[in-house]
Each structure stands twice: as C-alpha cells, then as structure tokens.
Amino acid sequence: MEPVPLQDFVRALDPASLPRVLRVCSGVYFEGSIYEISGNECCLSTGDLIKVTQVRLQKVVCENPKTSQTMELAPNFQGYFTPLNTPQSYETLEELVSATTQSSKKLPTCFMSTHRIVTEGRVVTEDQLLMLEAVVMHLGIRCARCVLGTEGQQVILHLPLSQKGPFWKWEPSAPRTLLQVLQDPALKDLVLTCPTLPWHSLILRPQYEIQAIMHMRRTIVKIPSTLEVDVEDVTASSRHVHFIKPLLLSEVLAREGPFPLSMEILEVPESRRIFLSPWVGSLQKGQRLCIYGLASPPWRVLASSKGRKVPRHFLVSGAYQGKLRRRPREFPTAYDLLGAFQPGRPLRVVATKDCEGEREENPEFTSLAVGDRLEVLGPGQAHGAQGNDVDVLVCQRLSDQAGEDEEECEEEAESPERVLLPFHFPGSFVEEMSDSRRYSLADLTAQFSLPCEVKVVAKDTSYPTDPLTSFLGLRLEEKITEPFLVVSLDSEPGMCFEIPPRWLDLTVVEAKGQPDFPEGSLPIATVEELTDTFYYHLRKLPACEIQAPPPRPPKSQGLSKQRRHSSEGGVKSSQGLGLQQHAPLPKPKAKTLPEFIKGGSSMYSKIPAHRKGHRPAKPQRQDLDDDEHDYEEILEQFQKTI
C-alpha cells in the first residue's frame, strides 16, 4: 500500500477490518507541546508503528464552497442530505451530451455548472439547476436547448456545445442521513444540499479520533485524524509484532494475578524516599523483579524507638514473629490519661512528680505527691469558680500499703478517696502494671489499644537482621492497613521484601522468559525502617489521626488578681481592648461520672450526674500577654516592693 494522508486513510477505513497496524511514513511535531494537547497525540516520529483499535467520529465540519465559511455539525445531526453532482465532471457541454447519449439514460438530463454562465441577457449562477432537453441548431450554431426554472417560470436557453464548464450531471437520489453520506465512498467531497441548513450547497469534512496502541505506552493513544502525517498499512507484514505495554505496580496489584510474575523496571518515581533498607538502592531501571503475590496479613504497625536522643521509625509487618513484652506507659498530663482510658479495663498509674491542685478554681482539685497511686475511673465535669463547667478526669486514690488486712480494705472500699484532675493538669504519671507475658504482635494489637509501649524480648527468627531487639523500648503508635506485594530481586531470589504499590509505584514491563522461582517458603523482611519525612507523612493520614491537642490551661487566680491590681495603679490593662480567648475543649468520651460517685459524700453534689450535650467553654477576656510565667509574677512583686 502506498502512503496516504491519515485523514484519507481513516475516511476509507472499514471499521469491521480493525485492528490495523500502520507505519508512520512522514512524522510530525506540533511545536508548542512536548507530548500531547488536550489528551490527543500530536507528535509522531517517522517509523512509529500504530495499532488502530477504534475510530470514533468527533464532529463534522460543514463548508460552503462559495464563501468558504464553515460550521460544525454534531455526529447525531438529524438532517438529510442529497448530492447535487456526481463524481464525474465534464469540461464542455459537448462532452456532457456525448456521455449522456452513450449511456443507458437518454435526454433530458439535469446538470449544474461550477461557474456562472452569461447568455442571452441572463446570468445562470453555479448553484442553479439546468435541464438539457435536446441538441438543436440555433442561429447556425449547434446548441443545447436547456430549461431554467426561476420563480415558478421556465426560461428556454440555448447554450453552444462549446460552452466550457466544468459541468456536473445531477441525478435525483433518495435523501441520506449524515452517517450514510460519510460511509459512502462515492459521495466523498461531493457537493450536497440539506434543507435544514442555511446554505444551498455544502461539502462535508468529517474529523475522527483514532484510538491506538503504541510501543511502551501505558494507556490508549488518541490521535486526531487531522494530524498532517502520511501512513502506510502494514497489517499483513506485522502479524508477529508485539506491542509492549508498561504497567504500574498498582495495576499489577489490581489484576490480582496470576502469580508469580517476572517484571523488569522501566522507571522509578522521583519522589521522596520511603524506606532506608538496602534493597531500595537496587530498584533501578533494568532491574528484574519476581513478584510472588499479595502480602498477608495486609496490616502493619507504625513503631518508634525509645531510649535514644534521635528516635528511629519502623513499619512492622503483621507477620512479624518476634515476642514482645508490655512496658509501663508514661503520661505527661491528665488529658493523656483520658486518651489511654478504656471502659472495662483498669488503668492504674503512679505520680512521678509533685503537683499542686488548683483549689481556688475548685476545692476538689486535689494536689498530688510523688508516689501517689491512682486508678482512672473516667471523664466527667465539675463546676468552676466562675460558674462554668470544667472537664475533669475522675480518679480514685489507692492505698500505698500492699499488706493491709481485709477489714481495712473493706472500710477503704466503702469510702474511697476521689481525685478530680482537670484535663490540663500538668502532672506526670507512669502506668502501674505487673504484666510479664510475652505477646505476639497480632495478640498484642488485638488485646490492647494503641499506642502502647513494648520491649522486644525475642527477635523474629525468620528475619536474621531484626533490628527491634537492640532498643530499650518501642512505642507502637498506629495500625495501618495497606496492600503490599511480596517481591524479590532476580539477582537475589532467596530474600524477599514487601513493596507498597500506592506508596512506591514503579513502572514495570513483563520480562521475557520465566526465571527459576525458589520452592518452599521464602524469608521476608518483616521490619522496614522509614525515613523521617515519610514517617511524618504517614502520621498525617486519616488512619493515623489521634485525639485533638489538649486544652489550654486557664490563668491562675493569683496572676489575675495581680493584673487587676496593677491596672488600678495606672497600668493600662489589655482587657480594655476587648480581646477574647476561646479555649474549646475536646469532646470527652462520656459526659457523666461513674455510678459510685452519686452515692458518695455531699462534697460531690456540684458534679452533675448527667448532662445532655457538651457546652463549650465560655470565652474569657485575657491580656495581650497570653503566656503567663512565674518570672512575670516575681517581676511585678519586685516592682511593687521598689
């Protein structure tokens, strides 16, 4: 097949013959675009192979042959078209008469001229239809007697047979739809008429979208038929050609097999590093991989080391076989105790520093000393000094003596000492526990809520380089569900690792030939160290979001009184500026105190037994200096002394 313009090839293409393989004979580059415009291919190189799989009509440009004006028609245009001429044209009237008399169709016949004809004081335009009745002698000249119909009248014209055209013979035919006209090769580029359109004569120029497959292209390539490129049909000689289609690891994951697969890396995404493992450096272009399938189980635990100045972060697989032992958790505030509290699970802590309660705010806000033992009972609300409600954590003070007799224990159980700690209480607590069991990672996450602190007491025997045993402690922070693929390098098939396709989406292609996959179970790296950047990115994910930050502590009464006193002495207070500080509290887990408080002493009558809804903290006026410190109070007292 000789090279033809792409537009001509598409117009003559039979959709039933698809797919067809084309070779680009003269490439084209659309200046101003690197690759494509509006999703359409605009750069084709000479020699490129294109496998056309589908041709879709986009629009039809309707052109007026007289004025060259254009308008667009939708593919579902409902008008009907009739051809005004045939593909055969005649240079003179004599040729037209000779062809007509020699055919099976005799005179009369209708024809049109492509140019204006001036004769006998009358002008015949190019869009007017003439009927040739006979050949006669007129004024000694052989002429064609023609009938011109104008405004309901018939005018006889005598045109010499030497009259030059070109002329088009008009043959009446049945009206056709837009798609019928476009599918008929005999009507290509013919002048048509359509009563629905404003122009008497028009030419249709369709524009198609070609959907094709090309080498090393992941998606279907869309090529406009108007692209100025010549193509050659090489379908017959290209039966053996295989078009290589790259894949993303995420697409391999979505296909769900069959596994194992042999792949070759084509491209590594240029994004932030995720893992610090040695195998990451081997993921380069040309490296062959063996994909064994989906990793099981699909969940991972995000963990951070403790006991070092710079913590390290890990992603621990759910298949981790090491043994862990729980370690006491540390809580810097009462609000952290609330986050760790679970109804039905006792939570006992020991205070690790002396803290004085805000008795001016509420006499029930007791102080704590180092060594005080508390049992967390749940959240509640108490009345503040200004009549507003304060969210508190209700605790019960435990005895410091372990060897009490039963009677004393019963008396103490009848009237236990309750302790109310505001959420902002800046105490320091450590969990009291005596759990020496060794847990697997799956059992630990099933029985206890995260975060929790553990110590790895036995490493994963299937992973010889398990790094978790070298740390004094680990903080298991969050459980993450993410699909991973079990992969090994073709050069080292004995060691497998797991790749998350949505985080590390490599571009791969199926490699030729199947490698020798090792038999039996393969050792898998169950612990991967994360970069700091990606660790903090994970902590931003919805699955890792934890409670809102704790509420801001209110000002102490002593400082507030000193501020008011200094304002009376002539110092301008910022309260006159009308600044307000909103301190919204997080929604507590429960709005009521435990049942045993209702039957306690009358001291707790201020605590509501039940509240429907949680009222936000009332706005308070504050000074411009929001941060109150002890040295400010000492400075003011020093100024007064002077």
Side-chain angles (χ1 to χ4, degrees):
M1 175 182 175
E2 295 296 327
V4 295
L6 180 62
Q7 176 75 8
D8 295 344
F9 173 82
V10 175
R11 291 202 61 178
L13 178 65
D14 181 10
S17 65
L18 294 176
R20 309 294 295 179
V21 179
L22 308 180
R23 178 187 289 118
V24 179
C25 297
S26 60
V28 62
Y29 175 74
F30 188 91
E31 188 175 0
S33 171
I34 297 177
Y35 205 69
E36 57 184 27
I37 293 179
S38 302
N40 292 327
E41 192 75 16
C42 61
C43 302
L44 294 176
S45 301
T46 301
D48 283 349
L49 291 180
I50 305 170
K51 186 176 183 180
V52 180
T53 58
Q54 187 178 357
V55 175
R56 185 174 65 89
L57 179 64
Q58 279 189 316
K59 61 182 178 180
V60 178
V61 177
C62 182
E63 179 182 352
N64 188 336
K66 299 180 183 179
T67 62
S68 299
Q69 291 179 309
T70 60
M71 63 188 306
E72 292 185 2
L73 302 179
N76 57 352
F77 179 72
Q78 300 299 320
Y80 290 89
F81 297 85
T82 303
L84 292 180
N85 51 35
T86 60
Q88 181 65 41
S89 63
Y90 305 93
E91 294 299 324
T92 62
L93 273 180
E94 188 173 4
E95 292 182 11
L96 175 62
V97 171
S98 176
T100 303
T101 55
Q102 292 177 6
S103 65
S104 59
K105 296 181 180 180
K106 303 299 182 181
L107 297 178
T109 185
C110 297
F111 70 96
M112 295 174 59
S113 173
T114 58
H115 300 285
R116 291 193 308 166
I117 301 175
V118 180
T119 179
E120 299 179 359
R122 185 174 295 275
V123 177
V124 181
T125 60
E126 57 269 24
D127 60 346
Q128 288 184 299
L129 193 64
L130 292 169
M131 184 173 65
L132 195 157
E133 292 184 332
V135 177
V136 296
M137 295 294 294
H138 180 70
L139 301 178
I141 301 174
R142 293 185 69 213
C143 296
R145 188 176 65 187
C146 303
V147 178
L148 174 65
T150 58
E151 298 179 357
Q153 298 180 354
Q154 291 187 347
V155 179
I156 303 298
L157 299 177
H158 292 85
L159 302 178
L161 295 182
S162 60
Q163 180 72 43
K164 293 184 178 182
F167 300 99
W168 298 90
K169 186 187 295 185
W170 181 81
E171 296 178 357
S173 61
R176 305 188 188 188
T177 64
L178 177 61
L179 295 181
Q180 289 174 341
V181 172
L182 297 179
Q183 293 173 357
D184 190 349
L187 300 181
K188 177 184 175 182
D189 295 332
L190 292 186
V191 179
L192 308 171
T193 183
C194 178
T196 310
L197 299 177
W199 303 327
H200 177 72
S201 57
L202 50 92
I203 299 175
L204 299 180
R205 305 194 185 280
Q207 295 184 8
Y208 299 89
E209 179 187 78
I210 303 169
Q211 297 185 8
I213 299 173
M214 295 182 67
H215 275 301
M216 307 304 292
R217 301 294 292 274
R218 289 183 43 249
T219 58
I220 296 295
V221 179
K222 298 179 180 179
I223 306 173
S225 62
T226 55
L227 201 62
E228 296 180 359
V229 58
D230 292 341
V231 295
E232 178 185 6
D233 192 340
V234 292
T235 305
S237 60
S238 304
R239 301 291 184 184
H240 63 285
V241 175
H242 175 66
F243 288 83
I244 300 175
K245 179 184 178 182
L247 296 171
L248 294 175
L249 274 187
S250 56
E251 296 173 340
V252 176
L253 176 66
R255 294 198 315 186
E256 299 181 353
F259 297 110
L261 288 174
S262 180
M263 294 286 180
E264 181 178 334
I265 299 177
L266 293 179
E267 185 180 359
V268 179
E270 296 180 359
S271 58
R272 57 179 176 270
R273 292 189 64 188
I274 297 179
F275 302 118
L276 296 175
S277 304
W279 54 263
V280 175
S282 301
L283 300 181
Q284 299 178 358
K285 182 178 180 180
Q287 175 67 54
R288 295 185 66 172
L289 304 175
C290 301
I291 302 178
Y292 297 96
L294 194 64
S296 179
W299 55 272
R300 305 289 184 277
V301 173
L302 194 61
S304 297
S305 64
K306 295 182 67 67
R308 297 191 179 185
K309 292 183 179 180
V310 180
R312 294 166 63 183
H313 311 290
F314 300 91
L315 200 62
V316 185
S317 170
Y320 182 73
Q321 299 177 12
K323 295 298 180 180
L324 305 95
R325 183 174 291 155
R326 293 177 60 208
R327 296 180 71 249
R329 291 174 288 181
E330 297 177 0
F331 307 99
T333 66
Y335 187 80
D336 296 286
L337 286 175
L338 174 65
F341 173 73
Q342 285 184 306
R345 290 182 178 270
L347 177 60
R348 296 184 177 185
V349 296
V350 178
T352 57
K353 74 174 184 179
D354 297 332
C355 297
E356 186 165 349
E358 301 177 353
R359 293 184 177 276
E360 296 180 354
E361 180 72 18
N362 190 312
E364 302 170 7
F365 295 168
T366 56
S367 302
L368 295 179
V370 175
D372 284 352
R373 300 173 62 239
L374 302 175
E375 181 177 353
V376 180
L377 301 176
Q381 287 184 334
H383 293 304
Q386 300 180 0
N388 58 326
D389 292 337
V390 178
D391 289 314
V392 296
L393 188 68
V394 183
C395 303
Q396 174 179 320
R397 192 187 300 271
L398 301 177
S399 173
D400 296 336
Q401 299 178 0
E404 293 184 341
D405 57 359
E406 296 180 359
E407 294 182 359
E408 292 177 350
C409 291
E410 292 178 359
E411 292 178 0
E412 186 176 349
E414 292 177 358
S415 58
E417 180 183 355
R418 279 88 175 179
V419 177
L420 300 184
L421 302 179
F423 284 172
H424 59 268
F425 186 75
S428 180
F429 308 92
V430 64
E431 185 177 11
E432 183 181 80
M433 58 178 297
S434 58
D435 187 359
S436 60
R437 289 181 54 192
R438 290 152 56 109
Y439 297 89
S440 66
L441 183 62
D443 292 339
L444 186 70
T445 55
Q447 298 181 30
F448 302 98
S449 62
L450 299 182
C452 71
E453 297 186 10
V454 298
K455 173 73 171 70
V456 179
V457 295
K459 69 177 184 179
D460 187 347
T461 56
S462 65
Y463 185 39
T465 58
D466 182 1
L468 301 184
T469 55
S470 62
F471 301 106
L472 295 177
L474 286 176
R475 178 180 172 85
L476 306 183
E477 297 175 339
E478 198 67 38
K479 192 174 183 179
I480 301 174
T481 301
E482 181 70 23
F484 280 66
L485 287 174
V486 180
V487 180
S488 71
L489 301 176
D490 187 41
S491 56
E492 300 178 12
M495 185 61 197
C496 295
F497 49 90
E498 297 175 344
I499 293 181
R502 293 195 294 187
W503 299 345
L504 187 59
D505 211 359
L506 306 175
T507 303
V508 297
V509 64
E510 292 190 32
K512 296 181 180 179
Q514 292 294 330
D516 295 331
F517 296 105
E519 298 180 357
S521 59
L522 299 174
I524 301 176
T526 53
V527 180
E528 299 290 354
E529 186 171 0
L530 302 175
T531 62
D532 290 344
T533 303
F534 189 71
Y535 165 77
Y536 291 113
H537 169 73
L538 280 182
R539 300 300 290 166
K540 295 179 183 179
L541 297 180
C544 299
E545 289 182 355
I546 56 177
Q547 301 182 37
R552 186 173 186 175
K555 288 184 179 181
S556 64
Q557 285 287 86
L559 290 177
S560 301
K561 290 180 180 179
Q562 292 179 14
R563 287 290 185 185
R564 287 196 296 269
H565 181 73
S566 62
S567 176
E568 294 173 359
V571 180
K572 185 176 180 180
S573 172
S574 62
Q575 292 180 355
L577 299 177
L579 297 179
Q580 294 184 347
Q581 175 69 28
H582 296 271
L585 295 175
K587 186 176 180 181
K589 294 181 179 178
K591 301 293 182 67
T592 60
L593 292 176
E595 288 294 331
F596 69 87
I597 295 180
K598 298 180 181 178
S601 61
S602 60
M603 182 184 299
Y604 290 89
S605 60
K606 299 178 182 179
I607 301 177
H610 183 73
R611 291 183 180 273
K612 296 182 178 179
H614 179 66
R615 293 189 297 173
K618 296 181 181 180
Q620 299 177 356
R621 295 182 178 272
Q622 289 191 356
D623 300 331
L624 286 176
D625 291 333
D626 272 350
D627 298 321
E628 301 292 352
H629 305 283
D630 292 340
Y631 60 79
E632 294 179 353
E633 183 177 356
I634 295 173
L635 179 61
E636 292 181 1
Q637 292 178 355
F638 180 71
Q639 290 176 349
K640 292 178 183 179
T641 304
I642 295 177

